[in-house]
Amino acid sequence: MASLPSFHGIGTLKLEPDSTKHSTTSASTDKSPSISYPRARTLIQSDRKLESLTLNFQESLSVIKDGSKIEASCYVPLLQECIERNSFSGTRDLHSHIIKTGTHRDVFVMTFLVNVYAKCGAMENARKVFDSLPRRNVVAWTTLMTGYVHDDQPDVAITVFQEMLEFGSFPTNYTLGIALNACSAIDSLELGKQIHAYSIKYHIDHDTSVGNSLCSLYSKCASLDSAIKAFLTVEEKNVITWTAVISACGDNSKAAKGLRVIEMLADNVEPNEFTFTSVLSIMCCTMLSLSFGAQVHCLSIKLGYETHLRIKNSIMYLYLRCGWFVEALRLFNGMEDMSLVTMNSIIAGYGEIMELAKDYLSAYHNGMEALNIFSKLNNSGFKPDLYTFSSILTICSKMFALEQGEQIHAQTLKTGYLSDMIVGTALVNMYNKCGSIERASKSFWEMSAKTLISWTSMIAAFAQNGQTQQALQLFDDMRLIGVRPNQVTFVGVFSACARAGIVNEALGYFEMMQKDYKIKPVMDHYSCLIDMFVRKGSLDEAFDLIKKMDFPPNESTWSLLLAGCKRYGNNELGFYAAEKLLELKPKDAETCLLLLNIYDSAERWEDVSKVRELMKEKRLEKLTDWSFISIHDKVYSFNPDERQVYGAEIYELLDELVDKAKSVIGYESLESFTIFGEEVQHSEKLAVAFGLLKIPDAAPIRIIKNTGMCNGCHNFMKAISSLNAREIIIRDSKQLHKFVDGKCSCGDYGGLF
């Protein structure tokens, strides 16, 4: 790229044309600013020869190549045809003929030729023609500047603008608009302000094209107030003006100001495709207002834009993000034409649906739908991009679908997207959430470039898998190469320390975070430290930390302390934590069950009644225990209340496993959790028995559980992993448990109860 002129960010641009230069061309030079192009003389004639020449483009070129003489006016429609066909070779042939016939002395034809070369992307040729012009008017200068802007050479366009002023030619409103667009492209706010001042001096700032460009420039440079002032200055606002200010508000986090469609309609300006997509972008990314989005949808249909793909994509994505899935899927299924954006939106939308699914089975079915669409995408001629791979890998992680994730990994390798940071990070997260920390680590180190998000994801992955030393070493490596950690990074660090119970190191990192990186602690940081003290049985220290926090404890904080008090038998502190938790009126059924168990074991029946009333008030249903296991794309679900469904073989194996486990860790630690004298069964035991029967010996058993594991089941899984030499991975509602050789990645703090 050419070096920027001196005025970019440093000097001052001389905006007054130099009238002392090029006096020989004064006839062609504008003497004062103009707000419209001078009318070009009309050269196109309606004679039969011109008509025959334009009937067939190739035929016309053949006539020219034969050396036939034609009138100057005939070149214009042929050159226009070159633009429409993007024909550089045709333009070059016409150029040769223009020189041969002496028409190169015609300023209009040669200026038009500059435009044609620019539209064909041949800026070197455009510049040569421009330099050869016998006279240069403002149209020629503006045409050349426009070409450079469209050719992604805005700095060269600014240089041409400077040359024009030095030449003595006055810019028009269109020239200033192009110059402002170039300033926007190179993020030169200072130069843009100089041009703005020039437009004010000569009373052009109210012009539509200048105002539109100013609004876009100030928006891109994060000066929304100036963008709105430029918008308000425009006297005749067109659809581009309104669209520019709407986009400016959306881009600068002022979504409510951007929803000015009603004002626009009141001004008798009809929105176009770009207006609708700008408004819907604000709705999708910021406000998530379903009611307003539905109104915009209706307006787009009323104005005849219901078939426009970009608008339908935006509306569909808004509906997906707002949870209006039925309507979004109806739109998707009714589309005759689709783009990659359409496919990406619906795949990402299924990811949103999975988050709101009532159980894993429903989530899994939605995930399979997303995988089916991904398969259709591959078979329909579309090529998945980084957003496609990122979304589908995230869905695989939610499904616990390692096999499908591995297939997509192979496709990213084949298509070259594996080197992309977004895809690489999604791959790390997928392997981590599927319990394959080795593959996650391998994918991380194979990334050609790593962002802070990549480093943070891998640190969190090591922490979640109980590999504290690897997590902390990676954190040190990250800092060593100059990557600055953020709040989320330290959550992973504190989580790693909590798993290992290394208090001094955790407190050291806590101090480092505040002093070295000026990061103020948030609730997630305190939760990790409280979890660390609770795991070690240091309940008083945990309580002291809660009292020192700068904000009130939340439901999660008191739940952690309460679970620790129950585990280590600190009834006094436990009842205090329970009271505080009850005051917050928890919305989680598992938390309420924990409270019920605490009060029931102490025979505090009045408190038991309070919890029951709370559950009734919050409409918390009875906690139903489900576990799910996927084998060859089929999901099997297990609930202890449906004993007759699974057959005698599973229960016979389960009884055998329990007998074996008794000899290893003792029956007492295997007793089921009970409440009110009723035994709460454990679906994960049925699932693991089924997995041992159906999954090959060498393969890990992966189970999803909708509630947290109890201590009894946790100990049972440790025993089975040792007795059967099987890797058992269970993702419950709280965390990931990876059982190998009688040990768990959670650090043996597996259950609430």
Side-chain angles (χ1 to χ4, degrees):
M1 181 178 285
S3 60
L4 295 178
S6 60
F7 52 78
H8 176 51
I10 304 174
T12 302
L13 174 62
K14 181 181 177 183
L15 283 168
E16 301 293 342
D18 191 343
S19 59
T20 64
K21 294 188 178 183
H22 309 285
S23 57
T24 58
T25 60
S26 58
S28 65
T29 304
D30 299 282
K31 293 299 182 183
S32 61
S34 171
I35 60 172
S36 63
Y37 277 118
R39 292 185 178 275
R41 56 194 176 93
T42 306
L43 294 177
I44 303 176
Q45 302 173 359
S46 57
D47 55 24
R48 290 185 179 180
K49 186 176 181 182
L50 172 61
E51 202 171 293
S52 64
L53 278 169
T54 56
L55 283 175
N56 188 290
F57 180 65
Q58 296 300 331
E59 215 174 285
S60 301
L61 290 180
S62 299
V63 171
I64 288 172
K65 288 178 181 178
D66 289 342
S68 301
K69 184 173 178 60
I70 63 173
E71 297 177 13
S73 60
C74 296
Y75 288 112
V76 176
L78 291 173
L79 287 170
Q80 182 63 42
E81 187 78 10
C82 288
I83 294 175
E84 294 172 4
R85 293 171 177 262
N86 194 29
S87 175
F88 171 70
S89 60
T91 307
R92 191 172 50 193
D93 291 340
L94 284 169
H95 186 188
S96 299
H97 197 271
I98 287 169
I99 295 172
K100 185 176 181 180
T101 59
T103 312
H104 62 283
R105 290 184 288 272
D106 189 304
V107 176
F108 180 82
V109 172
M110 295 304 286
T111 300
F112 198 80
L113 184 61
V114 173
N115 181 47
V116 177
Y117 272 130
K119 291 286 178 65
C120 292
M123 289 309 302
E124 186 177 346
N125 298 73
R127 181 73 206 213
K128 287 179 179 178
V129 174
F130 175 83
D131 289 339
S132 69
L133 288 174
R135 297 184 304 279
R136 299 173 192 165
N137 57 22
V138 68
V139 177
W141 288 103
T142 306
T143 299
L144 187 64
M145 287 171 58
T146 304
Y148 280 122
V149 170
H150 291 167
D151 198 49
D152 294 327
Q153 299 184 65
D155 51 338
V156 183
I158 293 295
T159 302
V160 172
F161 182 54
Q162 188 179 36
E163 291 173 4
M164 170 186 156
L165 296 174
E166 293 172 351
F167 186 84
S169 185
F170 282 92
T172 67
N173 54 331
Y174 299 106
T175 316
L176 294 178
I178 291 298
L180 287 166
N181 291 341
C183 293
S184 180
I186 61 177
D187 295 323
S188 179
L189 181 60
E190 290 305 313
L191 176 58
K193 286 180 177 179
Q194 292 178 45
I195 298 174
H196 188 183
Y198 179 88
S199 69
I200 293 172
K201 180 178 180 180
Y202 288 100
H203 309 292
I204 313 176
D205 57 315
H206 63 273
D207 176 75
T208 305
S209 61
V210 172
N212 294 350
S213 297
L214 281 170
C215 187
S216 298
L217 168 69
Y218 285 128
S219 169
K220 188 175 181 186
C221 295
S223 182
L224 180 60
D225 291 340
S226 298
I228 292 176
K229 286 178 183 177
F231 165 78
L232 294 173
T233 304
V234 177
E235 292 181 354
E236 296 183 9
K237 300 177 179 66
N238 59 17
V239 65
I240 299 174
T241 318
W242 283 99
T243 303
V245 76
I246 289 170
S247 299
C249 294
D251 294 341
N252 289 274
S253 303
K254 296 292 182 182
K257 286 186 178 181
L259 302 180
R260 311 180 72 148
V261 177
I262 297 175
E263 296 176 40
M264 180 180 180
L265 294 172
D267 203 31
N268 293 319
V269 178
E270 187 174 292
N272 63 12
E273 177 185 358
F274 301 102
T275 317
F276 279 116
T277 51
S278 294
V279 171
L280 289 167
S281 176
I282 292 174
M283 305 303 302
C284 292
C285 300
T286 310
M287 298 190 69
L288 294 180
S289 175
L290 181 59
S291 59
F292 192 86
Q295 293 178 50
V296 173
H297 186 187
C298 293
L299 179 61
S300 70
I301 294 173
K302 182 179 178 181
L303 296 178
Y305 288 99
E306 68 271 19
T307 59
H308 284 245
L309 186 58
R310 290 182 61 187
I311 295 176
K312 292 181 77 172
N313 286 342
S314 298
I315 292 169
M316 183 185 72
Y317 189 56
L318 172 64
Y319 288 163
L320 287 168
R321 291 207 62 192
C322 291
W324 209 2
F325 302 121
V326 174
E327 188 65 21
L329 293 175
R330 187 190 68 79
L331 271 175
F332 175 75
N333 292 328
M335 287 185 181
E336 294 182 3
D337 296 321
M338 295 185 186
S339 66
L340 182 59
V341 174
T342 314
M343 296 288 199
N344 286 348
S345 296
I346 198 68
I347 289 172
Y350 270 114
E352 299 280 347
I353 298 174
M354 291 177 72
E355 288 291 331
L356 301 176
K358 62 181 180 179
D359 54 43
Y360 173 74
L361 195 58
S362 301
Y364 186 89
H365 287 319
N366 288 321
M368 287 304 298
E369 286 295 323
L371 286 170
N372 289 336
I373 292 172
F374 179 71
S375 178
K376 290 178 182 177
L377 183 154
N378 284 318
N379 295 328
S380 61
F382 291 115
K383 293 183 178 180
D385 61 9
L386 64 95
Y387 301 106
T388 320
F389 285 122
S390 176
S391 294
I392 201 66
L393 285 168
T394 301
I395 284 171
C396 288
S397 70
K398 293 176 181 178
M399 293 172 65
F400 217 33
L402 180 64
E403 184 177 341
Q404 290 89 338
E406 288 174 335
Q407 294 172 12
I408 294 166
H409 183 182
Q411 189 174 351
T412 64
L413 185 63
K414 182 179 179 181
T415 55
Y417 279 103
L418 186 59
S419 59
D420 182 84
M421 291 178 289
I422 294 176
V423 176
T425 303
L427 197 60
V428 169
N429 287 330
M430 184 276 294
Y431 279 126
N432 171 42
K433 290 184 178 180
C434 290
S436 182
I437 187 63
E438 297 81 12
R439 297 291 299 276
S441 179
K442 187 174 185 294
S443 299
F444 173 78
W445 290 116
E446 287 176 349
M447 293 173 65
S448 56
K450 302 173 180 67
T451 63
L452 172 60
I453 296 175
S454 309
W455 287 95
T456 300
S457 297
M458 195 64 236
I459 290 169
F462 279 133
Q464 290 163 15
N465 282 269
Q467 299 187 16
T468 299
Q469 292 304 318
Q470 291 88 331
L472 299 182
Q473 181 61 56
L474 193 63
F475 177 68
D476 291 340
D477 292 343
M478 181 189 82
R479 293 172 57 232
L480 188 63
I481 65 170
V483 179
R484 185 180 179 86
N486 62 8
Q487 282 185 350
V488 183
T489 314
F490 277 103
V491 171
V493 171
F494 296 143
S495 178
C497 294
R499 294 293 180 97
I502 47 176
V503 175
N504 292 334
E505 288 84 347
L507 296 178
Y509 287 122
F510 191 67
E511 183 178 0
M512 173 198 295
M513 178 183 75
Q514 298 176 81
K515 289 186 176 180
D516 296 351
Y517 297 103
K518 311 302 179 187
I519 297 174
K520 189 176 180 180
V522 296
M523 183 60 78
D524 285 341
H525 299 142
Y526 283 111
S527 294
C528 290
L529 296 178
I530 292 166
D531 181 37
M532 175 185 66
F533 284 124
V534 167
R535 285 171 181 264
K536 287 184 68 68
S538 304
L539 302 178
D540 291 335
E541 287 83 349
F543 187 45
D544 288 340
L545 186 60
I546 291 173
K547 291 187 288 186
K548 291 177 182 177
M549 292 193 307
D550 296 330
F551 26 77
N554 59 15
E555 183 179 323
S556 174
T557 307
W558 291 120
S559 295
L560 278 171
L561 185 61
L562 181 58
C565 290
K566 182 181 185 303
R567 184 183 182 97
Y568 294 106
N570 190 332
N571 291 332
E572 182 180 354
L573 184 57
F575 289 136
Y576 179 82
E579 289 172 10
K580 293 295 182 182
L581 189 56
L582 199 55
E583 289 175 6
L584 294 175
K585 296 186 176 181
K587 304 176 183 65
D588 180 52
E590 284 189 73
T591 303
C592 289
L593 185 59
L594 176 60
L595 283 169
L596 282 174
N597 185 44
I598 290 284
Y599 289 135
D600 175 64
S601 61
E603 298 183 354
R604 295 177 57 158
W605 309 122
E606 185 177 342
D607 291 320
V608 168
S609 298
K610 287 181 182 178
V611 178
R612 284 177 166 173
E613 285 297 320
L614 175 64
M615 294 181 72
K616 185 177 180 181
E617 177 188 335
K618 297 293 183 181
R619 297 182 179 178
L620 298 176
E621 299 178 358
K622 178 184 175 182
L623 194 62
T624 305
D625 179 25
W626 281 95
S627 287
F628 307 89
I629 189 168
S630 172
I631 302 175
H632 301 308
D633 293 340
K634 184 175 181 180
V635 178
Y636 300 87
S637 55
F638 298 89
N639 183 313
D641 295 334
E642 300 180 2
R643 184 182 180 94
Q644 70 281 1
V645 175
Y646 310 117
E649 187 179 12
I650 289 180
Y651 286 95
E652 289 174 4
L653 176 58
L654 188 55
D655 290 339
E656 181 183 336
L657 293 173
V658 169
D659 290 337
K660 288 182 179 180
K662 286 179 182 179
S663 63
V664 177
I665 59 177
Y667 180 78
E668 291 298 323
S669 59
L670 289 174
E671 286 184 344
S672 299
F673 165 65
T674 60
I675 183 167
F676 308 132
E678 297 180 6
E679 185 175 358
V680 179
Q681 298 290 343
H682 309 275
S683 59
E684 61 267 44
K685 288 183 180 179
L686 294 170
V688 79
F690 182 80
L692 289 169
L693 288 171
K694 302 295 183 180
I695 297 176
D697 292 343
I701 298 172
R702 289 182 168 82
I703 298 169
I704 290 277
K705 181 174 168 62
N706 71 326
T707 64
M709 291 183 70
C710 72
N711 287 327
C713 270
H714 191 267
N715 289 336
F716 177 79
M717 295 301 167
K718 286 167 59 179
I720 298 308
S721 70
S722 176
L723 289 168
N724 291 271
R726 292 293 287 271
E727 185 176 303
I728 302 170
I729 303 166
I730 300 179
R731 194 165 77 193
D732 66 13
S733 62
K734 306 296 180 184
Q735 59 187 314
L736 182 78
H737 304 269
K738 186 173 182 179
F739 300 93
V740 181
D741 296 329
K743 296 180 181 179
C744 180
S745 60
C746 76
D748 283 348
Y749 197 78
L752 281 175
F753 311 119

